[in-house]
Amino acid sequence: MKSGSTKNTTKVARLRCERGLTQAALAKGTGVNIRTIQKFENGERGIETASLAVALRIADLLGVHPRELI
């Protein structure tokens, strides 16, 4: 995601950028494949399709309540 771009971005992408994390760092920190993170961010896959464990790890790393990801 380009800096300053907020049009058509998912909450996961916006939160990750606000925290200064790369997709690779989010993937590594949560134990999720980077392609999965990319799918969450580009809307190919909704975060609500993630397992509870994955959603909790992503929310924890981003410092938000899991419902803020939806």
Side-chain angles (χ1 to χ4, degrees):
M1 183 168 73
K2 293 180 181 174
S3 179
S5 174
T6 57
K7 193 174 187 179
N8 297 323
T9 59
T10 63
K11 290 181 183 180
V12 173
R14 182 181 48 79
L15 290 166
R16 177 186 57 77
C17 288
E18 287 174 1
R19 271 65 173 174
L21 294 169
T22 63
Q23 288 178 335
L26 183 60
K28 184 177 181 179
T30 58
V32 175
N33 185 292
I34 191 169
R35 183 65 185 124
T36 301
I37 298 297
Q38 291 168 339
K39 287 180 179 182
F40 289 146
E41 290 194 5
N42 69 22
E44 285 181 52
R45 182 175 174 194
I47 191 72
E48 63 277 357
T49 66
S51 70
L52 179 58
V54 167
L56 290 173
R57 288 194 309 258
I58 291 172
D60 185 53
L61 191 62
L62 294 175
V64 298
H65 191 280
R67 87 181 79 159
E68 290 184 55
L69 299 177
I70 298 173

